[in-house]
Amino acid sequence: RAARPSVLSAVRERPFLIVTGETGSGKSTQLPKYLFEAGLAKHGAIGVTQPRRVATISVAQRVAEEMGCLLGSVVGYQVRFDDCTTEDTAIKYMTDGCLLRQILADPLLSKYSIIILDEAHERSLSTDILFGLLKKLFLQKKPPNRKTAMKVVVMSATLEVDKLSEFFGHCSVLHIPGRSYPVKEIYCNLLSPRDIGSSAYAVKVTLDIHLNEPEGDILVFLTGQIEIERACDLLFKKAESIDYRYEVHDQSVEGLLILPLYGSMSTDQQKRIFLPAPTGIRKCVVSTNIAATSLTIDGVRYVVDSGFVKQLNHNPRVGLDILEVVPISKSEARQRAGRAGRTSSGKSYRLYSREFWEQCMPDHTVPEIRRTSLTSVILTLKCLSVHDVIRFPYLDCPEERHILEALKELYQCNAIDRRGHVTRLGEFLVQFPLPPNLTCAVIKAASLDCEDLLLPIAAMLSVENVFIRPGDPQKQKEAELQHQELSSQVGGCNDFATLLNIFEQCKSPSAWCQKYWIHWRALKSAFSVEKQLREIISKLKQLPDFPKEAFEGSRTEILRRCLCAGYFINVARRSAARTFCTMDGHGSIVYIHPSSTLYNQETRLEWIIFHDVTVTSKIYVRTVCPVRYEWVKDLLPRLHQINAYELSSVAREEVTEEEITKWKHKEDLKRQYGEFHKKMERRNDDQSILDARARYLERKQQRAQGLSGPVKEIG
DNA sequence: GAGCACTGC
């Protein structure tokens, strides 16, 4: 409240303002209110973005309550599938991805007078793109249909503020002091380097806290479901054997309530962590990173931080995503520690040494824009007339080869032309909340008037895995048999068709889902996605230039041919008994994943297309479908027709055909001399896959050894 | 004969 006058004058004077403050300073709820009360929303709404849906809705609810109005009137929110706003909404909370969609429809954001980007320090992909777009929007002359110039406020935890301020033309920075409590940081003395971040060591430290520290709940951060469940089992066994009459120093703590927490748990199971523990019982939540930002648990006084996280990294050279266990950054460690200081002072136990902190942990997490495939993002930018996608004002530039790869893929699916301009198909593709290649298949189907085949598949592929895999081996077998049954009902040789079959058969959370071991929550969201996709496609089909084709063939053949239209980039040919070689220029050797219905049928196949790749003990392709050579042969040349550098030269600036020819000649020369370098680069990337594989095998071995590692006995 | 951290449109 004290900051109110300075916030108002800063926003009035300059186009950009940065506001920093720890969580709990109330900036998300209070600041938009101040701006509204000061009359700054007269010529357009105040839009506030958040990276997550749940946070968006709950902040909007709180502000509506505080202002004594109905949610959806003056204060409203918009997230995917849920628009709770009216014409009169003056303070509109929304997810950052939602605002990005709105920019596509209205590039000047003429409905808004102020845009507030909240949680900017999280550096979500959408927020990063919005940074650049809003900066560009300001640099343009004030458009005639805007009454006042756009104002932009960026709200962030205290983090890389100088960089952010410089990015927005050295704008002013206001700090709002928070009300969080001090958290003492404790580095653990390790018995051996293998202990760093291990579940076994986390269990030991947790029990030490439980037996020696005054009341207050414990939050343990581990990397994944398996690690969490193993730690919970061991904690339970150890905690059970404690004789509290002799062991506990603080008499008020008599037992330990152990609760696992990770994203794939059902919502009901997740809710348990919010219930307060019975008197005298200490709650201990063992969680993935989900508890670092997405879920807040009150009453935590002790954090146990493994120092690691599972991170999805994209490798553009081989075109693969690899899920890796990596050390967290220092700022992420501070974020985790902060979870102990929300209601009183707390302690954070770090399962690593000071030395590890200083030498192995980076200052900041690499932002998503530098770690992810950029195909959709680049298409969005191109559709917003950002032709030069390399020199777009990024707060952090993506690696050039990530951009090149994205351009190449967009060219391959005919979303952009040889000169890097968006095609009509590209304009269709950008409308969909799906990866462009999958959308190609959907559009192909719609042009044949049989989108009913592809929409459910597209929806199923964009939600979490619908197949349940229970931990118990007996049940696992049972589940596998049922999944096989679902596949053989539609011929047993096409994983995409199996997804369609599931979507069509199940319409309610009946016994059906239980019988077939299908995840109802995932299926339900697939229904919502399908509905949304259907709405988009029916709008597009009304356009006069939407493609129309005719084709005679069986249902399964049409389905497979539509899939080819999108997935010809992911085509592979059998090269040895059980291996396939991709045709995308990387020529990777891949295996069919054992979860596929085509696993063990490799010798009967020659050409296949697949949805995605996972690198674990081998390079596996998942969700597979056999195709005929005739269906892809006309499409294959497109994979090699163009050199990505050619597209990039176009990306840098507008060039003439003549210049392209010149450039191509240079490119030929470069290619001759570059062969050696390319080979080396290739080898390095192969090495990175081998490294990932070695790390995976090592982890697996550690897992197999179970908890035989050095666990110091308690008492 | 297999592993899936977390978001978002």
Side-chain angles (χ1 to χ4, degrees):
Chain A
R1 180 151 283 278
R4 188 180 159 151
S6 43
V7 167
L8 290 177
S9 65
V11 170
R12 285 206 177 99
E13 280 161 28
R14 310 264 312 256
F16 298 113
L17 172 67
I18 295 168
V19 177
T20 66
E22 288 82 26
T23 37
S25 59
K27 55 187 186 329
S28 313
T29 49
Q30 303 308 307
L31 203 130
K33 219 164 70 179
Y34 295 163
L35 298 178
F36 172 73
E37 285 163 1
L40 286 162
K42 273 189 189 129
H43 301 294
I46 300 171
V48 191
T49 70
Q50 291 280 332
R52 277 172 298 277
R53 291 167 57 95
V54 182
T56 308
I57 300 170
S58 63
V59 175
Q61 266 165 351
R62 205 159 63 228
V63 174
E65 234 166 72
E66 282 177 20
M67 290 177 58
C69 63
L70 215 62
L71 187 60
S73 56
V74 180
V75 181
Y77 68 86
Q78 187 187 350
V79 296
R80 190 185 189 183
F81 309 130
D82 191 1
D83 184 353
C84 186
T85 59
T86 54
E87 293 273 296
D88 307 323
T89 301
I91 304 179
K92 179 170 169 182
Y93 287 88
M94 62 204 137
T95 45
D96 47 12
C98 240
L99 185 61
L100 205 52
R101 288 274 131 187
Q102 289 170 46
I103 290 189
L104 273 170
D106 171 18
L108 298 175
L109 288 174
S110 45
K111 277 185 230 149
Y112 297 94
S113 59
I114 302 177
I115 294 290
I116 302 176
L117 303 173
D118 200 1
E119 309 285 1
H121 58 276
E122 287 191 25
R123 303 293 307 276
S124 77
L125 188 56
S126 300
T127 299
D128 262 21
I129 295 300
L130 287 168
F131 282 155
L133 288 172
L134 291 172
K135 183 177 174 175
K136 265 183 88 106
L137 193 62
F138 173 73
L139 293 176
Q140 286 165 3
K141 283 193 185 127
K142 193 178 89 180
N145 57 341
R146 289 196 67 94
K147 289 198 181 102
T148 49
M150 168 79 74
K151 303 277 184 181
V152 177
V153 181
V154 176
M155 302 206 282
S156 165
T158 351
L159 193 114
E160 291 189 283
V161 173
D162 296 340
K163 187 169 154 191
L164 211 54
S165 161
E166 195 189 323
F167 180 79
F168 287 114
H170 298 279
C171 69
S172 29
V173 178
L174 272 179
H175 181 72
I176 298 182
R179 267 185 309 169
S180 55
Y181 296 85
V183 177
K184 195 176 171 200
E185 281 145 7
I186 300 155
Y187 294 91
C188 294
N189 290 319
L190 299 161
L191 301 172
S192 90
R194 259 197 58 181
D195 281 353
I196 293 179
S198 75
S199 309
Y201 199 58
V203 168
K204 179 206 171 305
V205 171
T206 305
L207 282 174
D208 278 350
I209 297 168
H210 180 47
L211 294 178
N212 298 309
E213 294 289 336
E215 57 184 338
D217 296 337
I218 308 172
L219 174 59
V220 186
F221 284 105
L222 295 178
T223 51
Q225 181 177 346
I226 290 169
E227 293 82 356
I228 286 167
E229 270 167 2
R230 180 147 29 82
C232 284
D233 281 352
L234 188 69
L235 252 182
F236 185 76
K237 275 184 205 134
K238 299 254 175 191
E240 215 180 23
S241 62
I242 295 171
D243 187 341
Y244 287 95
R245 282 171 305 176
Y246 302 107
E247 305 273 0
V248 179
H249 298 183
D250 180 343
Q251 289 300 318
S252 62
V253 177
E254 287 165 8
L256 191 63
L257 175 66
I258 302 156
L259 298 166
L261 174 66
Y262 42 83
S264 60
M265 270 171 32
S266 75
T267 335
D268 282 345
Q269 283 173 316
Q270 285 188 10
K271 275 184 194 146
R272 286 194 311 169
I273 63 153
F274 296 114
L275 301 173
T279 324
I281 306 282
R282 193 200 295 274
K283 192 163 75 178
C284 172
V285 177
V286 187
S287 170
T288 59
N289 230 17
I290 195 171
T293 47
S294 305
L295 296 174
T296 300
I297 309 155
D298 285 328
V300 172
R301 284 192 69 188
Y302 308 100
V303 160
V304 178
D305 173 16
S306 66
F308 286 86
V309 69
K310 274 187 190 167
Q311 197 174 66
L312 194 67
N313 292 316
H314 182 72
N315 180 330
R317 188 63 190 80
V318 284
L320 297 178
D321 287 336
I322 304 176
L323 191 70
E324 286 179 289
V325 177
V326 296
I328 58 172
S329 65
K330 289 177 181 134
S331 50
E332 211 171 335
R334 289 191 191 102
Q335 165 92 27
R336 286 181 176 185
R339 294 311 213 175
R342 292 184 56 82
T343 39
S344 65
S345 63
K347 287 182 182 174
S348 169
Y349 295 79
R350 296 178 164 166
L351 302 183
Y352 39 86
S353 58
R354 181 99 213 176
E355 196 186 12
F356 185 82
W357 163 271
E358 268 153 17
Q359 291 177 12
C360 304
M361 291 166 64
D363 289 342
H364 300 293
T365 309
V366 177
E368 199 184 353
I369 197 166
R370 288 181 60 84
R371 288 190 281 117
T372 195
S373 164
L374 296 172
T375 318
S376 294
V377 162
I378 296 291
L379 180 61
T380 307
L381 288 178
K382 289 260 175 196
C383 284
L384 287 168
S385 318
V386 178
H387 191 60
D388 186 347
V389 288
I390 289 181
R391 282 185 304 196
F392 178 76
Y394 300 101
L395 180 56
D396 273 288
C397 283
E399 266 185 74
E400 194 166 285
R401 53 182 193 163
H402 280 232
I403 299 179
L404 294 180
E405 192 208 24
L407 286 169
K408 195 169 164 181
E409 198 176 319
L410 288 173
Y411 174 77
Q412 286 168 346
C413 38
N414 202 10
I416 59 173
D417 62 22
R418 217 168 238 287
R419 304 181 58 193
H421 292 291
V422 181
T423 60
R424 189 68 178 131
L425 179 63
E427 287 170 7
F428 294 147
L429 297 184
V430 82
Q431 308 287 324
F432 290 83
L434 296 174
N437 61 337
L438 178 52
T439 317
C440 277
V442 171
I443 300 240
K444 175 78 174 176
S447 74
L448 294 167
D449 251 336
C450 56
E451 62 269 28
D452 289 355
L453 294 180
L454 254 293
L455 291 176
I457 291 174
M460 295 288 269
L461 290 173
S462 54
V463 300
E464 52 186 321
N465 193 358
V466 294
F467 298 103
I468 296 173
R469 245 185 83 82
D472 178 57
Q474 189 65 40
K475 286 180 182 165
Q476 209 171 91
K477 255 215 156 96
E478 158 76 14
E480 260 168 45
L481 276 172
Q482 294 302 334
H483 295 160
Q484 215 127 50
E485 163 66 17
L486 288 168
S487 164
S488 30
Q489 284 168 6
V490 285
C493 65
N494 180 347
D495 293 320
F496 296 90
T498 309
L499 293 176
L500 178 61
N501 183 34
I502 294 165
F503 187 96
E504 285 178 340
Q505 276 201 43
C506 179
K507 294 292 173 199
S508 64
S510 53
W512 193 91
C513 278
Q514 253 185 350
K515 180 187 171 199
Y516 285 108
W517 297 88
I518 294 298
H519 215 292
W520 168 245
R521 183 178 65 178
L523 197 51
K524 205 170 75 179
S525 45
F527 292 149
S528 320
V529 176
E530 197 262 355
K531 185 168 164 266
Q532 186 193 22
L533 299 177
R534 187 173 291 279
E535 282 162 16
I536 300 171
I537 203 91
S538 56
K539 261 187 213 153
L540 290 183
K541 278 181 92 172
Q542 286 165 14
L543 297 173
D545 60 345
F546 190 82
K548 272 198 176 58
E549 290 174 60
F551 181 80
E552 291 294 313
S554 68
R555 190 176 137 102
T556 49
E557 182 175 347
I558 292 178
L559 170 60
R560 289 196 288 161
R561 297 196 71 153
C562 290
L563 287 170
C564 283
Y567 284 106
F568 72 93
I569 296 165
N570 293 348
V571 65
R573 184 184 190 178
R574 197 156 67 86
S575 61
R578 307 191 56 187
T579 62
F580 294 80
C581 182
T582 63
M583 293 287 133
D584 56 358
H586 300 130
S588 316
I589 296 296
V590 299
Y591 291 77
I592 292 181
H593 194 270
S595 65
S596 167
T597 181
L598 290 164
Y599 182 80
N600 271 339
Q601 296 193 53
E602 290 86 347
T603 46
R604 292 169 50 197
L605 308 168
E606 184 171 10
W607 292 85
I608 55 166
I609 53 167
F610 52 89
H611 170 64
D612 70 347
V613 182
T614 174
V615 182
T616 51
S617 59
K618 292 188 181 83
I619 303 179
Y620 285 109
V621 295
R622 290 183 299 193
T623 319
V624 182
C625 166
V627 295
R628 293 205 195 119
Y629 177 62
E630 307 95 85
W631 300 345
V632 285
K633 78 164 183 245
D634 296 337
L635 298 165
L636 286 178
R638 219 178 154 75
L639 295 182
H640 307 291
Q641 242 167 40
I642 199 142
N643 182 322
Y645 290 101
E646 187 183 321
L647 288 167
S648 83
S649 78
V650 182
R652 285 168 195 280
E653 56 207 288
E654 294 281 349
V655 288
T656 59
E657 286 293 338
E658 194 188 336
E659 279 175 298
I660 292 178
T661 324
K662 243 194 270 170
W663 223 89
K664 258 169 114 178
H665 175 66
K666 251 199 252 167
E667 199 41 50
D668 285 339
L669 289 174
K670 207 166 144 192
R671 211 172 300 148
Q672 286 169 23
Y673 292 107
E675 211 52 49
F676 173 72
H677 291 286
K678 251 191 206 159
K679 240 183 229 161
M680 288 308 290
E681 200 189 356
R682 177 78 167 274
R683 191 177 302 165
N684 287 341
D685 279 315
D686 289 348
Q687 194 57 47
S688 79
I689 293 221
L690 288 178
D691 289 347
R693 177 169 188 262
R695 280 195 294 276
Y696 166 79
L697 289 174
E698 195 185 324
R699 282 206 303 280
K700 191 174 165 182
Q701 202 183 357
Q702 280 172 11
R703 226 175 320 179
Q705 284 169 2
L707 296 162
S708 55
V711 182
K712 209 172 149 194
E713 290 300 322
I714 303 290

